[in-house]
Amino acid sequence: MSIHLILFLGFGVIAVAGAVNLLVQRHPINSALSLIAVMAALAGEYLLLGAEFVAVVQVIVYAGAIMVLFVLVIMLLNAGLEEKTKGSRVATLFGIPGMLLGSLLVAWVVLRHSGTEPVPVGALPGSPSTIGDLLFHEFLLPFEITSILILIAIMGAVVLASRPPTAGAGPGQKVKD
Amino acid sequence: MVPLSYYLLLSGVLFACGVMGFLIKRNIITIFMSIELMLNGVNLSFVAFAAHWHQLAGQVFVFFVMVVAAAEAAVGLAIIIAIYRTRETLNVDQVNLLKL
C-alpha cells in the first residue's frame, strides 16, 4: 500500500464522514461546519492530484469566503433546529432500494470500465502560473463573461437583501407615526 | 498510485450525499449547502480527469465552477434572507407560494 493510497483513503474517509454528518445533523450550523471539513479534505485530494492552485482556491474561496457567508446567514437569521417531517411511504419502500441498486450499478461500471491505470501523482503541474497562462489566453472570453456574471450577482444580492420600501419601516413614516 | 476509478467513486459518493440532502432536508439553508456539496463532488471528478488525461483545462473548469458557485451562494443567501423576512420561517414545507 503506497503512501498516496493511504493519503487518498484518509482524505476520502474524512470527506465522506463530513458529507454523512451534514445529512444527519439537525442544526444548520453543525451541517455548515461538517461541510467545511469536506471542503478541506477535498483540498487535500486536489494536492494529491497535483492541482496546487485549485487546492489553494478551494480553501480560500470555498472553505473561506462561501462558508463564512453561510455561517453569517445562519447566525443572522438565528436558524434553529430543523423540524422533522415524515416522507412518503413509497419513497422509503422503493426509493432506498432503488438508490442502492443504482449506486451499486454505477460503482460496478466505474470500477470495471473506467481507467484502472493509476493517476500519477504530481505529473500534471497545476501551478498558478500555468493556470493563469491558460486562463488569460485560451479561456479569456469565458473569464470575462464570468466577471460580468459576478457583477450581476453582486447587484442582485444587494437588491434582494435590501429592505423593501413598502415594509412600512422607512425613516419618514416613523417620524409621522 | 491511486486508480482513477477510486476518485470517481469518491466524487459519486459526495454527489449522492448532496442529492440525498437536497431531498430529505427541510431547512432551506441546509438544502443550499447540499447543492454546494454536489458541486464539490463534480469538481473532484474534473480534477481527477484533468490529471488522468493530462489536460489542464479541467482545472480551469473547476475555477469557473467555483466562481459560479460563489455568485450562486451570494444570490441564493440573499433570496433566503428575503424569504425569511416575509415568511418568518426557514422550513421549505411552509414556503409553498411563489408570491412574496
Side-chain angles (χ1 to χ4, degrees):
Chain A
M1 214 163 156
S2 67
I3 183 76
H4 296 131
L5 189 58
I6 294 170
L7 282 174
F8 169 81
L9 288 178
F11 285 130
V13 165
I14 295 173
V16 173
V20 170
N21 196 38
L22 190 151
L23 297 181
V24 172
Q25 294 288 342
R26 303 219 71 86
H27 198 286
I29 198 87
N30 296 339
S31 300
L33 291 179
S34 49
L35 187 57
I36 292 175
V38 174
M39 285 163 176
L42 279 180
E45 300 278 5
Y46 296 155
L47 275 182
L48 277 182
L49 284 165
E52 308 150 22
F53 175 72
V54 173
V56 171
V57 169
Q58 168 92 2
V59 171
I60 294 176
V61 174
Y62 248 132
I66 296 182
M67 291 318 292
V68 162
L69 208 59
F70 270 96
V71 173
L72 177 81
V73 168
I74 291 169
M75 286 160 66
L76 185 71
L77 300 185
N78 199 11
L81 281 180
E82 188 181 28
E83 294 156 45
K84 267 190 184 163
T85 46
K86 264 191 157 175
S88 73
R89 197 176 298 155
V90 182
T92 31
L93 271 183
F94 297 102
I96 294 171
M99 188 199 70
L100 283 177
L101 210 68
S103 46
L104 280 180
L105 190 71
V106 169
W108 182 75
V109 168
V110 165
L111 280 176
R112 185 81 197 278
H113 294 286
S114 84
T116 45
E117 64 267 37
V119 177
V121 176
L124 188 68
S127 66
S129 59
T130 12
I131 297 269
D133 198 40
L134 210 56
L135 205 57
F136 287 114
H137 287 115
E138 242 179 280
F139 293 94
L140 186 62
L141 183 64
F143 182 78
E144 296 295 337
I145 292 172
T146 41
S147 60
I148 297 173
L149 176 80
I150 286 280
L151 184 67
I152 295 170
I154 293 169
M155 292 193 292
V158 169
V159 167
L160 280 170
S162 63
R163 212 165 268 281
T166 51
Q173 280 165 324
K174 222 167 210 176
V175 171
K176 228 185 267 172
D177 287 337
Chain B
M1 293 295 175
V2 185
L4 173 68
S5 46
Y6 288 14
Y7 284 106
L8 293 185
L9 275 189
L10 177 61
S11 144
V13 167
L14 290 180
F15 189 87
C17 282
V19 172
M20 230 163 100
F22 189 87
L23 292 177
I24 67 173
K25 284 303 207 181
R26 282 292 157 263
N27 189 313
I28 193 166
I29 298 177
T30 321
I31 287 175
F32 212 63
M33 284 193 274
S34 308
I35 298 175
E36 298 290 333
L37 188 59
M38 283 192 258
L39 287 170
N40 268 289
V42 173
N43 278 351
L44 180 62
S45 61
F46 261 129
V47 177
F49 275 125
H52 187 248
W53 298 112
H54 291 274
Q55 293 279 321
L56 264 183
Q59 298 186 11
V60 180
F61 292 153
V62 171
F63 176 75
F64 285 129
V65 169
M66 281 178 185
V67 171
V68 173
E72 173 233 344
V75 175
L77 289 170
I79 291 174
I80 289 174
I81 291 176
I83 286 175
Y84 186 78
R85 204 170 272 152
T86 52
R87 304 288 167 91
E88 308 255 312
T89 180
L90 289 172
N91 191 338
V92 281
D93 286 339
Q94 291 167 29
V95 184
N96 47 13
L97 288 175
L98 274 178
K99 191 175 140 210
L100 273 180

